[in-house]
């Protein structure tokens, strides 16, 4: 058993919070897809980047699912930098190993698509998780939350702190990351319609480099002295922008929100250099990813509602876009951050 989210902070109707309890995953192995027979299925996951808290939490969830399912060998390897070429080499290695299911969080969806085709041609089931390659042959996308919910949740949290008006900038990470770009498009449109007195003045890209995100946020504040908000669009830039505000002595004058993992954001939530981290249960995302790979490897179809585990008893699947949806986003604040151990 591990702690679960016990108290939720409301975002908006479109970004309602997920509530979970302290339970043991996968009490019902029949519902979760455990198969009879002795075959062990190799399910490989290639994250954008290995060694960062976010993807290590996904890995922990994947390991937990494999242990609960009993017939899955969970393989996990990613590049040490968010580099599409290095990620491609790892994907090729798993194709050569003839794994049963190959799941990727692509740094560059377009360059990953041909490799997923190669894997399919080799008889390997292919999927994406965390970020999609929508033009590829992937059989399912394991999505953490809708782009609409994440984009609106970030915007509402920031603009509430900013008083509904003012100028803000976005420090994103990979310029080709499909998930980040989809959230930014929502933020741009939602800000324009709901907050007409607010303006996004710039969008910059720091890769997966927290120090670079801090420097870019500092440069943005210098270039725009009237800037009152910053968004860190990924788990490295979220603490990066908060650190920049802290270093500049502008806590309470420039507000930040971001997609940060709980413990990395805790000091910034505590000193108010960050208002909130908008995220989801990352370990549950890893659990769902491993379960989805096992389903594909065993030739088991997804249904409209999937009983994956006791924590994930009604995971929605939409056939039209071949997507499994973990659920709505969470708002992590100084009030609930200690309920997460990653």
């Amino acid at each position: 058993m591990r702690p679960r989210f016990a108290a939720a902070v409301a975002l908006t109707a479109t970004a309602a919070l997920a509530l979970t309890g302290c339970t043991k995953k996968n009490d019902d192995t029949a519902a979760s897809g455990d198969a009879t027979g002795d075959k062990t299925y190799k399910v490989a996951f290639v994250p954008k980047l290995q060694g960062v808290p976010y993807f290590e939490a996904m890995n922990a969830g994947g390991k937990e699912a494999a242990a609960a399912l009993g017939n899955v060998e969970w393989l996990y390897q990613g590049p040490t930098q968010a580099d599409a070429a290095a990620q491609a080499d790892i994907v090729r290695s798993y194709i050569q190993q003839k794994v049963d299911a190959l799941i990727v969080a692509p740094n560059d969806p377009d360059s990953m698509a041909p490799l997923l085709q190669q894997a399919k041609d080799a008889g390997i089931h292919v999927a994406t998780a965390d970020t999609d390659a929508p033009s590829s042959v992937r059989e399912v996308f394991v999505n953490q939350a809708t782009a609409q919910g994440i984009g609106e949740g970030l915007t509402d949290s920031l603009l509430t702190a900013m008083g509904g008006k003012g100028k803000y900038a976005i420090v994103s990470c990979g310029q080709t990351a499909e998930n980040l770009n989809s959230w930014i498009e929502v933020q741009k449109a939602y800000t324009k319609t709901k907050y007409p007195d607010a303006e996004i003045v710039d969008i910059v890209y720091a890769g997966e480099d927290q120090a670079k995100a801090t420097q870019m946020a500092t440069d943005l504040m210098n270039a725009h002295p009237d800037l009152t908000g910053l968004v860190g669009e990924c788990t490295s830039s979220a603490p990066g922008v908060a650190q920049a505000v802290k270093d500049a002595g502008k806590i309470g004058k420039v507000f930040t929100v971001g997609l940060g993992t709980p413990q990395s954001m805790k000091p910034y939530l505590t000193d108010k250099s960050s208002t909130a981290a908008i995220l989801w249960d990352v370990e549950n995302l890893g659990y769902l990813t491993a379960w989805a790979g096992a389903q594909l490897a065993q030739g088991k179809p997804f249904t409209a509602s999937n009983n994956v585990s006791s924590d994930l008893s009604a995971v929605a699947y939409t056939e039209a876009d071949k997507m499994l949806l973990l659920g709505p986003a969470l708002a992590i604040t100084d009030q609930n951050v200690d309920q997460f151990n990653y």
Side-chain angles (χ1 to χ4, degrees):
M1 295 177 71
R2 56 185 174 83
R4 282 293 182 216
F5 193 64
V9 180
L11 294 177
T12 64
T14 56
L17 299 180
L19 298 174
T20 53
C22 182
T23 56
K24 182 179 180 181
K25 290 188 186 302
N26 205 49
D27 291 330
D28 185 354
T29 55
S32 64
D34 195 7
T36 57
D38 297 328
K39 179 174 173 59
T40 297
Y41 298 91
K42 292 184 178 181
V43 176
F45 176 52
V46 183
K48 289 181 183 178
L49 181 66
Q50 186 170 332
V52 295
Y54 181 89
F55 285 114
E56 295 309 309
M58 277 193 73
N59 183 35
K63 288 179 177 178
E64 189 175 350
L69 291 166
N71 63 343
V72 170
E73 180 183 354
W74 172 253
L75 305 172
Y76 171 82
Q77 185 181 356
T80 56
Q81 295 183 335
D83 178 74
Q87 187 179 45
D89 288 340
I90 296 168
V91 169
R92 291 188 188 97
S93 174
Y94 279 134
I95 293 173
Q96 292 173 355
Q97 293 176 46
K98 300 185 184 299
V99 296
D100 296 292
L102 176 58
I103 308 168
V104 183
N107 281 297
D108 182 353
D110 292 337
S111 65
M112 184 56 62
L115 286 172
L116 294 181
Q117 181 67 60
Q118 287 182 29
K120 181 181 178 182
D121 292 344
I124 297 169
H125 292 281
V126 292
T128 54
D130 179 70
T131 187
D132 198 13
S135 61
S136 72
V137 295
R138 57 87 168 152
E139 296 169 67
V140 69
F141 169 41
V142 183
N143 193 5
Q144 55 269 59
T146 66
Q148 199 73 23
I150 294 169
E152 292 184 5
L154 285 167
T155 306
D156 284 333
S157 289
L158 181 62
L159 267 297
T160 297
M162 289 171 58
K165 61 183 180 180
K167 296 180 179 180
Y168 75 94
I170 297 172
V171 181
S172 190
C173 295
Q175 199 161 355
T176 59
E178 194 275 338
N179 58 343
L180 308 186
N181 290 336
S182 68
W183 304 337
I184 290 170
E185 287 304 310
V186 172
Q187 289 162 261
K188 288 159 64 175
Y190 189 58
T191 297
K192 186 175 181 179
T193 56
K194 186 170 181 181
Y195 300 99
D197 294 327
E199 177 188 1
I200 300 173
V201 296
D202 206 351
I203 302 170
V204 297
Y205 302 89
E208 297 283 348
D209 188 328
Q210 183 172 329
K212 188 175 180 181
T214 299
Q215 185 58 56
M216 285 186 157
T218 301
D219 293 343
L220 286 165
M221 287 187 286
N222 291 336
H224 304 276
D226 55 350
L227 195 76
T228 54
L230 286 162
V231 177
E233 203 74 21
C234 73
T235 56
S236 58
S237 64
V241 299
Q243 184 66 49
V245 168
K246 183 176 181 178
D247 292 346
K250 292 188 175 182
I251 295 174
K253 297 177 182 178
V254 178
F255 302 93
T256 77
V257 299
L259 277 295
T261 50
Q263 291 305 307
S264 72
M265 293 305 297
K266 181 179 177 179
Y268 305 110
L269 294 169
T270 301
D271 68 20
K272 307 299 182 184
S273 56
S274 177
T275 299
I278 308 301
L279 205 63
W280 41 88
D281 190 312
V282 183
E283 291 186 2
N284 271 349
L285 181 63
Y287 193 104
L288 180 59
T289 297
W291 176 87
Q295 291 288 104
L296 291 175
Q298 295 171 89
K300 295 188 173 185
F302 303 112
T303 58
S305 180
N306 297 269
N307 185 2
V308 175
S309 72
S310 55
D311 280 353
L312 301 169
S313 59
V315 175
Y317 172 74
T318 50
E319 178 62 33
D321 50 11
K322 298 186 183 303
M323 182 178 72
L324 284 166
L325 182 62
L326 178 67
L330 306 173
I332 300 164
T333 71
D334 59 342
Q335 298 300 305
N336 58 30
V337 65
D338 284 327
Q339 294 172 11
F340 301 87
N341 59 7
Y342 55 86

